[in-house]
Amino acid sequence: MTSISKALLAGVTLPAAALAILAAPASAADIPSAKLSFVGSWSGLSLHKNFEKPFWSETLPADSKGAVEVQVTTFDQMGLAGAEVYRLLSRGVFTIGATVADYSIEDAPEIEGLDMPMIAPGVADAKKVVEAYRPTLNEAFGKRFNAEILAIVPYPSQIVFCNAPIASLADLKGKKVRASGRTTAEFLNAIGAEGITLAFSEVPAALQRKVVDCAVTGSLSGYSSGWHEVSTHLLPMPLGGWDYVVTAVNKDKWAEVDPATQKFIQHEIATKFETPVWNAAVGETVEGIACLTGKGSCTRGEPGKMTLVQVTDGDRDLARKVLTETILPGWAGRVDPAVVTAWNQGVGAVTGLTAAKK
């Protein structure tokens, strides 16, 4: 196991709540039928191809003995922007929707409390943050989108691609960097870079034409989309967090599903969707880095030749300083005090951080 994979995997344990779900009995016998429509995340990336699509179109229908039928598509196949998913879900246009949560922070600033730069350096930390914040986030989804959360899963660690030489986090100063969300942009601005908002699909061309100097995304997502062909240096710090994809169901449509079928679906999601994605997070992050740099095993195709920049204690110290002095106070000023209190009691308790408005 590489040093990167050890750091990402260290201390991974399942919380008591998750263990309770996994232990819950579930049977397809005699569950009432349900017809659902599911709109998933980016169709071309591993999360949808290897997890979402097989689960909703094959696993769940098969395990239910045909009782649960699901019509499956993705927001990009529908010609939608990611931020539209929860808005349409709130109106009951489809039953279940999944997208990168950060796409919807303008509609629900509470989402930012889930995923901030360097708040969760490894998968174990990320899992603890998700479990600690999930009740608060679920309440926000009910209020903002008339929805209930069914799953929260990560993309691979959101790291930094540059088309110019860098040797440290501080070297991003003065550079234009495509951010993966508002708090990431704030973080970049705080270290002297310029955080740029740019759609994921537009990034390769922007890097190639040097419209931006660097960009943040998941290691495997970047490889799958050819970012290594237009970038030279890779800084494997999760500046963009984990780009969680939240799967949520419209409350009114969910109420039409029999409680026994609901319980069956929730158990299936927990055991055969959420758990496999979390288990794959370390491997996909590490393999993505290997595929981008040619250092390690890459089974996805021809590896790239990006320069892997080593993360130092100085990089981590700078990131922590910006997180505590800029990012957390900024977010605390955008949400209700009750949300900040809940965040401190949950996420703060597992990370040792405190959010407070300046």
Side-chain angles (χ1 to χ4, degrees):
M1 184 179 290
T2 67
S3 58
I4 291 174
S5 60
K6 288 179 181 177
L8 289 167
L9 190 56
V12 175
T13 57
L14 285 173
L19 290 173
I21 292 173
L22 294 178
S27 172
D30 301 324
I31 64 168
S33 62
K35 292 186 178 181
L36 313 174
S37 53
F38 170 75
V39 175
S41 58
W42 290 102
S43 61
L45 299 183
S46 172
L47 177 60
H48 181 73
K49 291 193 294 184
N50 296 332
F51 298 99
E52 282 182 348
K53 186 176 181 180
F55 174 78
W56 291 103
S57 65
E58 299 171 14
T59 302
L60 181 59
D63 287 355
S64 69
K65 311 298 184 186
V68 180
E69 300 177 34
V70 190
Q71 181 181 1
V72 178
T73 187
T74 65
F75 70 78
D76 58 308
Q77 289 173 330
M78 294 176 69
L80 300 174
E84 295 177 90
V85 173
Y86 299 141
R87 296 171 190 166
L88 295 175
L89 180 68
S90 70
R91 300 203 293 268
V93 175
F94 39 82
T95 316
I96 300 167
T99 188
V100 176
D102 277 353
Y103 292 168
S104 298
I105 59 175
E106 295 298 331
D107 296 329
E110 297 90 350
I111 288 172
E112 292 176 293
L114 178 67
D115 196 24
M116 296 184 185
M118 293 299 294
I119 197 173
V123 171
D125 309 298
K127 187 66 174 175
K128 290 176 183 177
V129 168
V130 166
E131 292 297 330
Y133 196 54
R134 186 165 177 159
T136 303
L137 191 63
N138 191 49
E139 185 176 342
F141 264 65
K143 175 182 176 182
R144 303 287 188 179
F145 305 118
N146 186 36
E148 178 179 334
I149 292 175
L150 294 178
I152 303 176
V153 296
Y155 272 118
S157 179
Q158 303 294 296
I159 58 181
V160 186
F161 296 68
C162 287
N163 63 6
I166 61 167
S168 69
L169 177 61
D171 287 345
L172 297 182
K173 183 177 181 178
K175 290 181 168 56
K176 294 182 179 180
V177 185
R178 181 263 183 179
S180 56
R182 179 164 61 190
T183 53
T184 307
E186 290 177 348
F187 179 94
L188 291 165
N189 292 338
I191 64 172
E194 181 182 353
I196 303 294
T197 300
L198 195 64
F200 178 80
S201 59
E202 298 174 2
V203 173
L207 283 167
Q208 187 173 34
R209 295 198 298 265
K210 297 191 181 297
V211 174
V212 295
D213 302 298
C214 306
V216 176
T217 197
S219 59
L220 193 56
S221 302
Y223 176 76
S224 300
S225 301
W227 288 26
H228 58 294
E229 298 172 358
V230 290
S231 304
T232 60
H233 287 65
L234 187 71
L235 180 64
M237 289 184 74
L239 294 194
W242 295 85
D243 241 14
Y244 299 105
V245 170
V246 175
T247 302
V249 60
N250 177 277
K251 282 190 170 185
D252 297 330
K253 289 185 173 292
W254 192 231
E256 297 172 0
V257 178
D258 186 273
T261 307
Q262 288 183 9
K263 185 177 181 180
F264 176 83
I265 292 171
Q266 289 170 320
H267 181 265
E268 286 280 300
I269 290 171
T271 58
K272 298 188 178 181
F273 175 66
E274 277 190 298
T275 296
V277 176
W278 278 98
N279 288 343
V282 171
E284 291 200 345
T285 297
V286 173
E287 185 171 10
I289 292 172
C291 289
L292 292 164
T293 63
K295 300 181 184 300
S297 175
C298 177
T299 64
R300 313 272 175 160
E302 187 69 23
K305 299 179 180 179
M306 295 184 69
T307 298
L308 183 62
V309 179
Q310 297 300 315
V311 179
T312 67
D313 289 340
D315 294 329
R316 297 185 187 94
D317 290 344
L318 174 58
R320 189 79 167 186
K321 182 175 186 293
V322 173
L323 176 62
T324 57
E325 295 182 1
T326 302
I327 305 304
L328 285 172
W331 173 72
R334 292 192 289 269
V335 296
D336 291 340
V339 174
V340 177
T341 298
W343 190 95
N344 285 329
Q345 292 172 345
V347 179
V350 299
T351 61
L353 297 165
T354 301
K357 182 180 178 181
K358 283 185 178 179

